[in-house]
């Protein structure tokens, strides 16, 4: 996993010791650091997170927590959990598959989609991610920060129900259903795969990759922000069957905790409110 030294400081109260000391601490007590690369004014550590710690350390916060424990530093407090009122715009979130045990969807409007601020772009670029736009970048930034994948759908591209409200259905795919992915590849799905769908069509291969048709662009004004927890075995089998391994699937395959949803949601709302 690529880890930005500067990014780690976001989660620790005291100034971090020199990067060499951080590398030594991790190597001697937790994870092998396979290399350090200088990128501008930052240092990027290549940390080998083993499967037995992937559920809690495939994130900058996870690595920072490990460093704090080893070096007896203080972790910064997390934002408190949030509770949101129901909206008539979203009438239902349903889960009808064993491949998902929790799903949260938040309706966000009055968006201004554009370029991300420099600190978000620099963070993403330091670990090999390409900035896209402020909303998509925030979802990627949060996944790399805390380990919980999130996804934003352009609500204007979803099909409403008969009452002109929207539904999010987390279900097993139907044999033969097709979806054009964000990478431009069209895939044919089977009933062993889990998907997110509206009332008419598939939107996303659960835990792997979203669909191109519902993606967020500069014209997007409303989104459905989703945070879900998917079965690790299901995601692994789907990823292998489709020949796709993504940052999201890597995390779900390693059985991250469903409680990460509560940790990430307040940061998602804060960043989207401030930056979009």
């Amino acid at each position: 996993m690529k880890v930005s030294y500067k990014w780690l400081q976001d989660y620790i109260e005291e100034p971090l010791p020199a990067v060499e000391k951080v590398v030594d601490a991790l190597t001697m007590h937790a994870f092998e650091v396979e290399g350090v690369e200088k990128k501008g004014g930052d240092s990027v550590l290549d940390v080998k997170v083993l499967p037995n710690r992937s559920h809690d350390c495939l994130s900058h916060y996870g690595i920072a927590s490990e460093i704090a424990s080893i070096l007896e530093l203080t972790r910064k407090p997390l934002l408190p959990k949030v509770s949101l009122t129901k909206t008539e715009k979203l009438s239902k979130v349903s889960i009808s598959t064993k491949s998902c045990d929790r799903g949260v969807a938040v309706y966000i409007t009055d968006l201004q989609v554009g370029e991300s601020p420099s600190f978000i772009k620099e963070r993403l670029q330091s670990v090999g991610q390409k900035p896209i736009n402020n909303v998509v970048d925030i979802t990627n930034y949060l996944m790399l920060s805390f380990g919980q994948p999130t996804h934003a759908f352009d609500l204007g591209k979803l099909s409403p129900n008969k009452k002109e409200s929207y539904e999010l259905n987390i279900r097993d795919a139907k044999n033969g259903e097709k979806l054009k992915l964000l990478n431009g590849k069209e895939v044919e799905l089977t009933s062993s795969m889990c998907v997110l769908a509206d009332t008419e069509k598939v939107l996303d291969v659960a835990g792997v990759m979203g669909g191109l048709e519902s993606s967020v662009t500069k014209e997007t004004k409303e989104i459905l922000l989703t945070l879900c927890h998917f079965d690790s075995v299901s995601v692994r089998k789907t990823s292998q069957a489709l020949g796709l391994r993504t940052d999201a699937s890597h995390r779900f395959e390693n059985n991250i905790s469903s409680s990460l949803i509560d940790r990430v949601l307040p940061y998602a709302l804060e960043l989207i409110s401030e930056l979009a």
Side-chain angles (χ1 to χ4, degrees):
M1 175 185 168
K2 301 294 184 182
V3 176
S4 159
Y5 174 77
K6 281 188 173 181
W7 200 333
L8 293 172
Q9 185 66 71
D10 289 356
Y11 310 114
I12 296 178
E13 293 280 8
E14 301 89 349
L16 276 171
V19 65
E20 294 80 11
K21 186 171 181 179
V22 170
V23 169
D24 288 344
L26 283 172
T27 301
M28 296 301 294
H29 298 277
F31 309 114
E32 180 182 351
V33 178
E34 298 186 319
V36 179
E37 182 182 1
K38 292 287 185 181
K39 286 199 173 182
D42 197 3
S43 295
V44 178
L45 287 62
D46 188 358
V47 182
K48 186 176 182 180
V49 180
L50 298 175
N52 66 317
R53 295 299 307 280
S54 293
H55 67 284
D56 68 326
C57 284
L58 280 175
S59 66
H60 281 76
Y61 182 79
I63 297 296
S65 296
E66 199 73 10
I67 292 168
S69 297
I70 296 167
L71 298 177
E72 298 183 348
L73 302 174
T74 309
R75 287 184 300 180
K76 290 182 180 178
L78 293 164
L79 291 178
K81 293 181 182 180
V82 296
S83 59
L84 300 171
T85 56
K86 291 186 177 180
T87 170
E88 293 181 357
K89 198 81 173 182
L90 180 62
S91 61
K92 184 172 70 173
V93 177
S94 67
I95 300 174
S96 57
T97 172
K98 294 180 180 179
S99 298
C100 178
D101 59 11
R102 189 177 182 199
V104 174
V106 183
Y107 166 61
I108 302 175
T109 189
D110 297 326
L111 284 169
Q112 292 184 338
V113 179
E115 191 173 342
S116 292
S118 58
F119 88 93
I120 291 278
K121 293 193 292 184
E122 288 169 3
R123 291 280 173 85
L124 294 176
Q125 289 169 335
S126 71
V127 295
Q129 292 274 342
K130 180 182 177 182
I132 298 171
N133 60 53
N134 49 1
V135 173
V136 174
D137 292 348
I138 287 168
T139 64
N140 289 330
Y141 175 78
L142 290 171
M143 176 183 63
L144 296 169
S145 293
F146 296 106
Q148 169 65 46
T150 67
H151 190 75
F153 298 99
D154 183 332
L155 197 74
K157 298 173 182 175
L158 272 59
S159 302
N161 59 22
K162 294 179 181 179
K163 296 181 179 180
E164 293 302 311
S165 182
Y166 294 87
E167 299 178 15
L168 181 69
N169 302 305
I170 305 171
R171 60 170 174 81
D172 294 327
K174 300 170 185 175
N175 286 323
E177 280 188 305
K178 294 182 179 180
L179 178 66
K180 192 170 186 178
L181 300 171
L182 286 168
N183 63 4
K185 178 182 177 182
E186 185 176 75
V187 293
E188 184 169 328
L189 308 173
T190 69
S191 59
S192 66
M193 300 173 182
C194 179
V195 298
L196 279 70
D198 60 19
T199 55
E200 294 183 2
K201 60 186 180 297
V202 175
L203 306 171
D204 181 289
V205 180
V208 180
M209 188 178 288
L212 185 62
E213 184 180 343
S214 58
S215 62
V216 174
T217 66
K218 62 182 180 180
E219 287 80 26
T220 300
K221 299 300 179 186
E222 302 174 298
I223 61 169
L224 206 58
L225 182 72
T226 59
L227 303 91
C228 302
H229 184 256
F230 301 112
D231 175 70
S232 59
V233 176
S234 172
V235 172
R236 186 179 301 113
K237 288 182 177 179
T238 298
S239 175
Q240 290 174 343
L242 297 177
L244 285 171
R245 197 157 193 269
T246 62
D247 288 324
S249 69
H250 180 46
R251 282 156 178 80
F252 284 121
E253 286 175 24
N254 283 284
N255 200 25
I256 56 174
S257 171
S258 62
S259 66
L260 288 179
I261 291 173
D262 299 308
R263 180 178 291 176
V264 167
L265 183 54
Y267 289 91
L269 300 181
E270 181 180 76
L271 283 172
I272 290 174
S273 296
E274 289 179 0
L275 306 180

